[in-house]
Amino acid sequence: AQRVTQPEKLLSVFKGAPVELKCNYSYSGSPELFWYVQYSRQRLQLLLRHISRESIKGFTADLNKGETSFHLKKPFAQEEDSAMYYCVTSGGYNKLIFGAGTRLAVHP
Amino acid sequence: EAGVAQSPRYKIIEKRQSVAFWCNPISGHATLYWYQQILGQGPKLLIQFQNNGVVDDSQLPKDRFSAERLKGVDSTLKIQPAKLEDSAVYLCASSPSGTGIYEQYFGPGTRLTVT
C-alpha cells in the first residue's frame, strides 16, 4: 500500500536559514505527490504538487525516484512560513494519503 | 467562492453517546470526503462520495460510523455510540470530479472530544 513517511515532527530554524522538510514514499509505480500546509488558525490547503514543477511561496519539491523522496525546500525561511506541513500521496480515485506532518517553526 | 462549511466547530460528548457532523461542499464539487485526524497524526480518509454514491469507505468503522450524502450536495457523518478513541478533528473536503488528481478544498473541521 502507498505510504509517506515524514521523519521529523518538528523542524526549528532561524529566519533566513535554508529549510528542508523530508518526505519519503513507498510506491512501486509513478506516484502522485503533494505538499499540503496548514497555517495557524487556517484550513488545510494545497501548497504544491510534483507534476506542476513550480515554486510556490519560494518552496520547491523535487521527486527523486531513486531515493523515493519528495523533500520540500526553501533557500531562505520567513517567519510566515511557520506552519504544519504534510507530505501527501494519491491512493487512486483522488484518494489522499497523508504523512504524519512536520511542524516548521521559524524564529526571528 | 465560498469555502467548505462544517458544523459544529466543537463538540464534547460522553462515551456511548451519539453525535452528528454536517458538511456543505463548494458549489459544483461532485466529490466529497470525510477525514479523521487524531492528535499528532495526518488526516485519514474515512469515506469518499462521488455525487451521492460511495467511492471508498474501506477505513470507515461501519459498526459505529455512518455517512450519507443525500441529493449529492451536503453530507452528514454520524458516530453511534462514540468511544474515547473517536476523539479527533473531523475534516470535510470537496473537489471537482473528472480524470486526474484534483486539489481538495478543506473545511475548518469539527473537534470532537469524547469523555
PDB file of all heavy atoms in Angstrom, chain A residues 19-41:
ATOM      1  N   VAL A  19      15.641  25.720   4.506  1.00  0.00           N
ATOM      2  CA  VAL A  19      14.704  24.761   5.087  1.00  0.00           C
ATOM      3  C   VAL A  19      14.607  23.547   4.170  1.00  0.00           C
ATOM      4  O   VAL A  19      14.545  23.687   2.941  1.00  0.00           O
ATOM      5  CB  VAL A  19      13.293  25.381   5.234  1.00  0.00           C
ATOM      6  CG1 VAL A  19      12.265  24.316   5.574  1.00  0.00           C
ATOM      7  CG2 VAL A  19      13.294  26.468   6.297  1.00  0.00           C
ATOM      8  N   GLU A  20      14.618  22.363   4.770  1.00  0.00           N
ATOM      9  CA  GLU A  20      14.341  21.134   4.019  1.00  0.00           C
ATOM     10  C   GLU A  20      13.451  20.248   4.868  1.00  0.00           C
ATOM     11  O   GLU A  20      13.875  19.752   5.921  1.00  0.00           O
ATOM     12  CB  GLU A  20      15.616  20.395   3.637  1.00  0.00           C
ATOM     13  CG  GLU A  20      15.322  19.140   2.808  1.00  0.00           C
ATOM     14  CD  GLU A  20      16.566  18.398   2.375  1.00  0.00           C
ATOM     15  OE1 GLU A  20      17.274  17.873   3.257  1.00  0.00           O
ATOM     16  OE2 GLU A  20      16.823  18.317   1.158  1.00  0.00           O
ATOM     17  N   LEU A  21      12.240  20.037   4.426  1.00  0.00           N
ATOM     18  CA  LEU A  21      11.302  19.148   5.110  1.00  0.00           C
ATOM     19  C   LEU A  21      11.333  17.819   4.370  1.00  0.00           C
ATOM     20  O   LEU A  21      11.035  17.746   3.176  1.00  0.00           O
ATOM     21  CB  LEU A  21       9.895  19.737   5.092  1.00  0.00           C
ATOM     22  CG  LEU A  21       9.740  21.076   5.824  1.00  0.00           C
ATOM     23  CD1 LEU A  21       8.447  21.738   5.455  1.00  0.00           C
ATOM     24  CD2 LEU A  21       9.826  20.849   7.322  1.00  0.00           C
ATOM     25  N   LYS A  22      11.659  16.758   5.099  1.00  0.00           N
ATOM     26  CA  LYS A  22      11.883  15.467   4.451  1.00  0.00           C
ATOM     27  C   LYS A  22      10.600  14.654   4.289  1.00  0.00           C
ATOM     28  O   LYS A  22       9.717  14.659   5.151  1.00  0.00           O
ATOM     29  CB  LYS A  22      12.911  14.668   5.252  1.00  0.00           C
ATOM     30  CG  LYS A  22      14.322  15.245   5.190  1.00  0.00           C
ATOM     31  CD  LYS A  22      15.304  14.396   5.949  1.00  0.00           C
ATOM     32  CE  LYS A  22      16.744  14.743   5.689  1.00  0.00           C
ATOM     33  NZ  LYS A  22      17.048  16.153   5.546  1.00  0.00           N
ATOM     34  N   CYS A  23      10.537  13.961   3.166  1.00  0.00           N
ATOM     35  CA  CYS A  23       9.422  13.070   2.894  1.00  0.00           C
ATOM     36  C   CYS A  23       9.930  11.905   2.054  1.00  0.00           C
ATOM     37  O   CYS A  23      10.598  12.103   1.038  1.00  0.00           O
ATOM     38  CB  CYS A  23       8.310  13.794   2.135  1.00  0.00           C
ATOM     39  SG  CYS A  23       6.987  12.709   1.548  1.00  0.00           S
ATOM     40  N   ASN A  24       9.610  10.690   2.481  1.00  0.00           N
ATOM     41  CA  ASN A  24       9.898   9.504   1.696  1.00  0.00           C
ATOM     42  C   ASN A  24       8.596   8.762   1.443  1.00  0.00           C
ATOM     43  O   ASN A  24       7.707   8.738   2.291  1.00  0.00           O
ATOM     44  CB  ASN A  24      10.890   8.598   2.430  1.00  0.00           C
ATOM     45  CG  ASN A  24      12.276   9.202   2.433  1.00  0.00           C
ATOM     46  OD1 ASN A  24      12.640   9.923   3.369  1.00  0.00           O
ATOM     47  ND2 ASN A  24      13.026   8.948   1.398  1.00  0.00           N
ATOM     48  N   TYR A  25       8.495   8.172   0.272  1.00  0.00           N
ATOM     49  CA  TYR A  25       7.258   7.481  -0.084  1.00  0.00           C
ATOM     50  C   TYR A  25       7.551   6.036  -0.438  1.00  0.00           C
ATOM     51  O   TYR A  25       8.679   5.665  -0.757  1.00  0.00           O
ATOM     52  CB  TYR A  25       6.580   8.191  -1.261  1.00  0.00           C
ATOM     53  CG  TYR A  25       7.360   8.140  -2.544  1.00  0.00           C
ATOM     54  CD1 TYR A  25       7.190   7.095  -3.455  1.00  0.00           C
ATOM     55  CD2 TYR A  25       8.270   9.146  -2.862  1.00  0.00           C
ATOM     56  CE1 TYR A  25       7.914   7.041  -4.629  1.00  0.00           C
ATOM     57  CE2 TYR A  25       9.001   9.098  -4.039  1.00  0.00           C
ATOM     58  CZ  TYR A  25       8.818   8.044  -4.918  1.00  0.00           C
ATOM     59  OH  TYR A  25       9.552   7.988  -6.074  1.00  0.00           O
ATOM     60  N   SER A  26       6.528   5.233  -0.353  1.00  0.00           N
ATOM     61  CA  SER A  26       6.618   3.838  -0.791  1.00  0.00           C
ATOM     62  C   SER A  26       5.529   3.631  -1.824  1.00  0.00           C
ATOM     63  O   SER A  26       4.346   3.761  -1.525  1.00  0.00           O
ATOM     64  CB  SER A  26       6.441   2.874   0.380  1.00  0.00           C
ATOM     65  OG  SER A  26       5.165   2.990   0.936  1.00  0.00           O
ATOM     66  N   TYR A  27       5.972   3.365  -3.045  1.00  0.00           N
ATOM     67  CA  TYR A  27       5.032   3.137  -4.150  1.00  0.00           C
ATOM     68  C   TYR A  27       5.831   2.562  -5.294  1.00  0.00           C
ATOM     69  O   TYR A  27       6.869   3.080  -5.642  1.00  0.00           O
ATOM     70  CB  TYR A  27       4.357   4.440  -4.566  1.00  0.00           C
ATOM     71  CG  TYR A  27       3.259   4.255  -5.588  1.00  0.00           C
ATOM     72  CD1 TYR A  27       2.093   3.572  -5.260  1.00  0.00           C
ATOM     73  CD2 TYR A  27       3.377   4.759  -6.868  1.00  0.00           C
ATOM     74  CE1 TYR A  27       1.085   3.391  -6.179  1.00  0.00           C
ATOM     75  CE2 TYR A  27       2.377   4.595  -7.803  1.00  0.00           C
ATOM     76  CZ  TYR A  27       1.226   3.909  -7.452  1.00  0.00           C
ATOM     77  OH  TYR A  27       0.221   3.731  -8.373  1.00  0.00           O
ATOM     78  N   SER A  28       5.336   1.520  -5.898  1.00  0.00           N
ATOM     79  CA  SER A  28       6.106   0.828  -6.923  1.00  0.00           C
ATOM     80  C   SER A  28       5.990   1.478  -8.293  1.00  0.00           C
ATOM     81  O   SER A  28       6.849   1.311  -9.132  1.00  0.00           O
ATOM     82  CB  SER A  28       5.667  -0.627  -7.017  1.00  0.00           C
ATOM     83  OG  SER A  28       4.283  -0.699  -7.293  1.00  0.00           O
ATOM     84  N   GLY A  29       4.951   2.242  -8.521  1.00  0.00           N
ATOM     85  CA  GLY A  29       4.753   2.843  -9.830  1.00  0.00           C
ATOM     86  C   GLY A  29       5.182   4.296  -9.855  1.00  0.00           C
ATOM     87  O   GLY A  29       6.154   4.690  -9.212  1.00  0.00           O
ATOM     88  N   SER A  30       4.476   5.097 -10.613  1.00  0.00           N
ATOM     89  CA  SER A  30       4.743   6.535 -10.682  1.00  0.00           C
ATOM     90  C   SER A  30       3.794   7.244  -9.722  1.00  0.00           C
ATOM     91  O   SER A  30       2.604   7.322  -9.984  1.00  0.00           O
ATOM     92  CB  SER A  30       4.544   7.051 -12.101  1.00  0.00           C
ATOM     93  OG  SER A  30       5.465   6.471 -12.979  1.00  0.00           O
ATOM     94  N   PRO A  31       4.316   7.750  -8.625  1.00  0.00           N
ATOM     95  CA  PRO A  31       3.413   8.314  -7.618  1.00  0.00           C
ATOM     96  C   PRO A  31       2.941   9.717  -7.975  1.00  0.00           C
ATOM     97  O   PRO A  31       3.592  10.445  -8.701  1.00  0.00           O
ATOM     98  CB  PRO A  31       4.289   8.343  -6.367  1.00  0.00           C
ATOM     99  CG  PRO A  31       5.663   8.587  -6.906  1.00  0.00           C
ATOM    100  CD  PRO A  31       5.725   7.828  -8.219  1.00  0.00           C
ATOM    101  N   GLU A  32       1.783  10.051  -7.431  1.00  0.00           N
ATOM    102  CA  GLU A  32       1.319  11.435  -7.436  1.00  0.00           C
ATOM    103  C   GLU A  32       1.634  11.978  -6.051  1.00  0.00           C
ATOM    104  O   GLU A  32       1.192  11.408  -5.053  1.00  0.00           O
ATOM    105  CB  GLU A  32      -0.193  11.503  -7.671  1.00  0.00           C
ATOM    106  CG  GLU A  32      -0.645  10.991  -9.019  1.00  0.00           C
ATOM    107  CD  GLU A  32      -0.633  12.071 -10.084  1.00  0.00           C
ATOM    108  OE1 GLU A  32      -0.246  13.208  -9.765  1.00  0.00           O
ATOM    109  OE2 GLU A  32      -1.015  11.783 -11.226  1.00  0.00           O
ATOM    110  N   LEU A  33       2.394  13.045  -5.965  1.00  0.00           N
ATOM    111  CA  LEU A  33       2.833  13.563  -4.668  1.00  0.00           C
ATOM    112  C   LEU A  33       2.519  15.035  -4.530  1.00  0.00           C
ATOM    113  O   LEU A  33       2.568  15.794  -5.518  1.00  0.00           O
ATOM    114  CB  LEU A  33       4.335  13.326  -4.480  1.00  0.00           C
ATOM    115  CG  LEU A  33       4.720  11.870  -4.270  1.00  0.00           C
ATOM    116  CD1 LEU A  33       6.176  11.645  -4.587  1.00  0.00           C
ATOM    117  CD2 LEU A  33       4.424  11.435  -2.831  1.00  0.00           C
ATOM    118  N   PHE A  34       2.202  15.424  -3.301  1.00  0.00           N
ATOM    119  CA  PHE A  34       1.805  16.794  -2.996  1.00  0.00           C
ATOM    120  C   PHE A  34       2.393  17.201  -1.650  1.00  0.00           C
ATOM    121  O   PHE A  34       2.749  16.365  -0.837  1.00  0.00           O
ATOM    122  CB  PHE A  34       0.269  16.902  -2.875  1.00  0.00           C
ATOM    123  CG  PHE A  34      -0.505  16.222  -3.955  1.00  0.00           C
ATOM    124  CD1 PHE A  34      -0.776  14.861  -3.885  1.00  0.00           C
ATOM    125  CD2 PHE A  34      -0.976  16.935  -5.049  1.00  0.00           C
ATOM    126  CE1 PHE A  34      -1.498  14.223  -4.879  1.00  0.00           C
ATOM    127  CE2 PHE A  34      -1.704  16.305  -6.046  1.00  0.00           C
ATOM    128  CZ  PHE A  34      -1.967  14.948  -5.961  1.00  0.00           C
ATOM    129  N   TRP A  35       2.418  18.497  -1.440  1.00  0.00           N
ATOM    130  CA  TRP A  35       2.610  19.047  -0.107  1.00  0.00           C
ATOM    131  C   TRP A  35       1.392  19.899   0.211  1.00  0.00           C
ATOM    132  O   TRP A  35       1.017  20.774  -0.572  1.00  0.00           O
ATOM    133  CB  TRP A  35       3.877  19.895  -0.031  1.00  0.00           C
ATOM    134  CG  TRP A  35       5.118  19.089   0.118  1.00  0.00           C
ATOM    135  CD1 TRP A  35       5.956  18.664  -0.869  1.00  0.00           C
ATOM    136  CD2 TRP A  35       5.678  18.592   1.342  1.00  0.00           C
ATOM    137  NE1 TRP A  35       6.991  17.937  -0.340  1.00  0.00           N
ATOM    138  CE2 TRP A  35       6.849  17.869   1.028  1.00  0.00           C
ATOM    139  CE3 TRP A  35       5.303  18.686   2.687  1.00  0.00           C
ATOM    140  CZ2 TRP A  35       7.645  17.262   1.983  1.00  0.00           C
ATOM    141  CZ3 TRP A  35       6.105  18.073   3.641  1.00  0.00           C
ATOM    142  CH2 TRP A  35       7.252  17.373   3.287  1.00  0.00           C
ATOM    143  N   TYR A  36       0.770  19.590   1.353  1.00  0.00           N
ATOM    144  CA  TYR A  36      -0.324  20.397   1.886  1.00  0.00           C
ATOM    145  C   TYR A  36       0.208  21.124   3.122  1.00  0.00           C
ATOM    146  O   TYR A  36       1.081  20.610   3.831  1.00  0.00           O
ATOM    147  CB  TYR A  36      -1.527  19.532   2.270  1.00  0.00           C
ATOM    148  CG  TYR A  36      -2.494  19.268   1.127  1.00  0.00           C
ATOM    149  CD1 TYR A  36      -2.159  18.386   0.101  1.00  0.00           C
ATOM    150  CD2 TYR A  36      -3.731  19.896   1.075  1.00  0.00           C
ATOM    151  CE1 TYR A  36      -3.046  18.147  -0.945  1.00  0.00           C
ATOM    152  CE2 TYR A  36      -4.629  19.655   0.037  1.00  0.00           C
ATOM    153  CZ  TYR A  36      -4.275  18.783  -0.964  1.00  0.00           C
ATOM    154  OH  TYR A  36      -5.170  18.549  -2.001  1.00  0.00           O
ATOM    155  N   VAL A  37      -0.367  22.298   3.408  1.00  0.00           N
ATOM    156  CA  VAL A  37       0.110  23.110   4.520  1.00  0.00           C
ATOM    157  C   VAL A  37      -1.078  23.610   5.327  1.00  0.00           C
ATOM    158  O   VAL A  37      -2.162  23.874   4.778  1.00  0.00           O
ATOM    159  CB  VAL A  37       0.984  24.284   4.009  1.00  0.00           C
ATOM    160  CG1 VAL A  37       0.180  25.209   3.111  1.00  0.00           C
ATOM    161  CG2 VAL A  37       1.572  25.079   5.177  1.00  0.00           C
ATOM    162  N   GLN A  38      -0.877  23.733   6.623  1.00  0.00           N
ATOM    163  CA  GLN A  38      -1.890  24.320   7.491  1.00  0.00           C
ATOM    164  C   GLN A  38      -1.236  25.382   8.359  1.00  0.00           C
ATOM    165  O   GLN A  38      -0.448  25.061   9.264  1.00  0.00           O
ATOM    166  CB  GLN A  38      -2.577  23.266   8.352  1.00  0.00           C
ATOM    167  CG  GLN A  38      -3.775  23.820   9.121  1.00  0.00           C
ATOM    168  CD  GLN A  38      -4.671  22.749   9.695  1.00  0.00           C
ATOM    169  OE1 GLN A  38      -4.257  21.627   9.940  1.00  0.00           O
ATOM    170  NE2 GLN A  38      -5.933  23.083   9.917  1.00  0.00           N
ATOM    171  N   TYR A  39      -1.537  26.642   8.068  1.00  0.00           N
ATOM    172  CA  TYR A  39      -1.062  27.757   8.890  1.00  0.00           C
ATOM    173  C   TYR A  39      -1.961  27.859  10.120  1.00  0.00           C
ATOM    174  O   TYR A  39      -3.088  27.380  10.129  1.00  0.00           O
ATOM    175  CB  TYR A  39      -1.089  29.056   8.095  1.00  0.00           C
ATOM    176  CG  TYR A  39      -0.222  29.013   6.847  1.00  0.00           C
ATOM    177  CD1 TYR A  39      -0.785  28.805   5.589  1.00  0.00           C
ATOM    178  CD2 TYR A  39       1.162  29.173   6.929  1.00  0.00           C
ATOM    179  CE1 TYR A  39       0.000  28.759   4.457  1.00  0.00           C
ATOM    180  CE2 TYR A  39       1.955  29.119   5.799  1.00  0.00           C
ATOM    181  CZ  TYR A  39       1.378  28.908   4.576  1.00  0.00           C
ATOM    182  OH  TYR A  39       2.152  28.843   3.451  1.00  0.00           O
ATOM    183  N   SER A  40      -1.444  28.531  11.144  1.00  0.00           N
ATOM    184  CA  SER A  40      -2.185  28.651  12.393  1.00  0.00           C
ATOM    185  C   SER A  40      -3.565  29.244  12.152  1.00  0.00           C
ATOM    186  O   SER A  40      -3.698  30.277  11.484  1.00  0.00           O
ATOM    187  CB  SER A  40      -1.397  29.525  13.367  1.00  0.00           C
ATOM    188  OG  SER A  40      -2.096  29.678  14.570  1.00  0.00           O
ATOM    189  N   ARG A  41      -4.580  28.572  12.652  1.00  0.00           N
ATOM    190  CA  ARG A  41      -5.978  29.030  12.577  1.00  0.00           C
ATOM    191  C   ARG A  41      -6.487  29.152  11.147  1.00  0.00           C
ATOM    192  O   ARG A  41      -7.435  29.898  10.888  1.00  0.00           O
ATOM    193  CB  ARG A  41      -6.161  30.349  13.334  1.00  0.00           C
ATOM    194  CG  ARG A  41      -6.114  30.167  14.848  1.00  0.00           C
ATOM    195  CD  ARG A  41      -6.399  31.474  15.565  1.00  0.00           C
ATOM    196  NE  ARG A  41      -5.295  32.417  15.446  1.00  0.00           N
ATOM    197  CZ  ARG A  41      -4.227  32.406  16.226  1.00  0.00           C
ATOM    198  NH1 ARG A  41      -4.114  31.487  17.164  1.00  0.00           N
ATOM    199  NH2 ARG A  41      -3.272  33.310  16.070  1.00  0.00           N
TER     200      ARG A  41
END
